[in-house]
Amino acid sequence: MNILVTLDSNYLKPLKVMLKSLFMNNPEERFYIYMMYSNMEEDEIYNVNKFVKKENHKLFIIKVENEHFKDSPLTMYYTKEMYYRLLAFEFLPLNVDKILYLDPDILVINPIRKLYDICISKYLYAAACHNILTVKEINKLRLKPYQIETYYNSGVLLMNIDLQREIVKEKEIYDFVKKNKNKLILPDQDIINALYSKYIKKFDEILFNYDPRYYKYNKILSKGNIDMDYVINNTSIIHFCGKKKPWQKNYVGEFYSLYKHYEKMALSHT
Amino acid sequence: MNILVTLDSNYLKPLKVMLKSLFMNNPEERFYIYMMYSNMEEDEIYNVNKFVKKENHKLFIIKVENEHFKDSPLTMYYTKEMYYRLLAFEFLPLNVDKILYLDPDILVINPIRKLYDICISKYLYAAACHNILTVKEINKLRLKPYQIETYYNSGVLLMNIDLQREIVKEKEIYDFVKKNKNKLILPDQDIINALYSKYIKKFDEILFNYDPRYYKYNKILSKGNIDMDYVINNTSIIHFCGKKKPWQKNYVGEFYSLYKHYEKMALSHT
């Protein structure tokens, strides 16, 4: 199973926690982890590699050199890293036709085989949209001229690399960014939504991109069905969206203890 | 390491969750589980035995026959089971000189070797007292004629069985219960505190008998030191005291997701 991650030094620990949870809860899978990065110390790369190898999976590192994205519009707030996910298809080996991108602020708590096997032969991506009404409406308005029906979250993104090689154009993305610089809040997510919304297959957010900030909201909305028991036994991916992260001091949330548990597992033997 | 548990059918699942967490987080130990019970179906006993055996530990079952405790004072609210912990020394084989009693509403999330090795050669028990001021004061007043300095929680109880065989007398316990029937709230815990308080060695409640209802209280009191990070990495035993239990629907608490995680691990392969 192909997994795409991007990395900078600040996210080294969360990345390992995410990978550890992925490995632990998918014991029947063999993972090929493609890691895109630009500025990382050699010992950090070595550390991740050792970590992945020890668990019997394989890490491929993709160093993005400085000359890449040299024509891309950048501002103080948008770094080159925002293009990694969008243009990964340019960097991945030709034998990779499909890959699952995962943000580092994620816990994988159940098997992801069903997610990976979603048929996207006619789509560029599969993603979930976080179905909180207000967020959705705001985002639609913000990117109005682009026909967005649902606003997808790009933190868990199943990618049809074969089709992306045919359809996605670097220039189109750069043009979009130039034109919308002042409107973009979540750069790559906004781009995917504005340009490719129609080519995204939707998957269940509760199963594959569960936002724990809305634990109570989802529980009430589902008349109690989507409770803690449901999430622990059915949700594959918990995605700690938002500014407050469970590896920071004073985080508050229903899944804090679970996150720290996996963090201990991931970091205790390194 | 000797572990004592008592069991009735209602607590079969929590017991397995507790044992699973104990085994997982103490991979270097071999456990001898002594399980006292009176009314259990044969297939339930078989089920626990299979579960313990599969994890390479050993279960000893101690069936408490009906004629036992026949002189004991019982009321509608106090069943014979309340005496199991107090009089376990009468039932345990002679080679058992020390044992750790564990309630079933417990998660063991770190090694317990340091707890087990506490020296109690001059004590009957080692226990923690939950240091919430109000609770302590109330309990002291309630059992006033008996000189109680601290009120211990009996859910995690390290027992000096050798010394108990010498000192603890069935009759003394029965007399106490007869005399104080109307004052007892937590039967066995009250008895241990009233009769044997002076012979209890105190251990750290945060490390070995952590009450998650006081997560915020402990965090504030410790100026932020005893936070989630501390508990996950240092606490050995989380004890879900009180009426609301994490295996019940609509439980709310910081350690709910962690409990359900272990529950899934314990119950998924049986």
Side-chain angles (χ1 to χ4, degrees), chain A residues 24-25 109-110 215-216 219 224-225 227-229 232-233 235 249-265, chain B residues 24-25 109-110 215-216 219 224-225 227-229 232-233 235 249-265:
Chain A
M24 284 181 70
N25 293 303
I109 64 166
N110 276 304
Y215 171 72
K216 288 191 191 83
K219 195 176 158 189
N225 285 320
D227 60 359
M228 186 59 77
D229 188 66
I232 293 292
N233 288 293
T235 293
K249 263 222 174 280
N250 295 320
Y251 175 85
V252 174
E254 281 83 0
F255 295 86
Y256 190 21
S257 60
L258 188 67
Y259 187 87
K260 295 301 278 188
H261 165 79
Y262 277 103
E263 187 184 77
K264 183 176 71 173
M265 309 284 260
Chain B
M24 284 180 70
N25 293 304
I109 64 166
N110 277 304
Y215 171 72
K216 288 192 190 84
K219 195 176 157 189
N225 285 321
D227 60 359
M228 185 59 77
D229 189 65
I232 293 291
N233 288 293
T235 292
K249 263 219 174 281
N250 295 320
Y251 176 85
V252 174
E254 281 83 1
F255 295 86
Y256 191 20
S257 60
L258 188 67
Y259 188 87
K260 295 301 277 186
H261 165 78
Y262 278 104
E263 186 185 78
K264 182 176 72 174
M265 309 284 260

Side-chain angles (χ1 to χ4, degrees), chain A residues 123-134:
Chain A
Y123 296 86
L124 288 172
Y125 306 99
C129 70
H130 287 155
N131 217 354
I132 305 294
L133 285 178
T134 46

Side-chain angles (χ1 to χ4, degrees), chain B residues 53-67:
Chain B
K53 219 171 159 182
K54 207 178 133 196
E55 307 260 350
N56 289 317
H57 303 286
K58 211 161 155 43
L59 182 76
F60 301 91
I61 56 172
I62 300 175
K63 185 158 164 50
V64 181
E65 301 295 346
N66 282 328
E67 65 265 29

Side-chain angles (χ1 to χ4, degrees), chain B residues 208-255:
Chain B
F208 302 127
N209 194 342
Y210 178 83
D211 186 339
R213 290 174 301 175
Y214 304 120
Y215 171 72
K216 288 192 190 84
Y217 177 94
N218 281 316
K219 195 176 157 189
I220 291 164
L221 211 70
S222 67
K223 291 176 185 157
N225 285 321
I226 303 173
D227 60 359
M228 185 59 77
D229 189 65
Y230 184 91
V231 173
I232 293 291
N233 288 293
N234 296 283
T235 292
S236 295
I237 295 179
I238 300 176
H239 182 192
F240 292 87
C241 304
K243 276 199 179 164
K244 289 176 185 169
K245 301 298 186 189
W247 56 85
Q248 293 164 338
K249 263 219 174 281
N250 295 320
Y251 176 85
V252 174
E254 281 83 1
F255 295 86

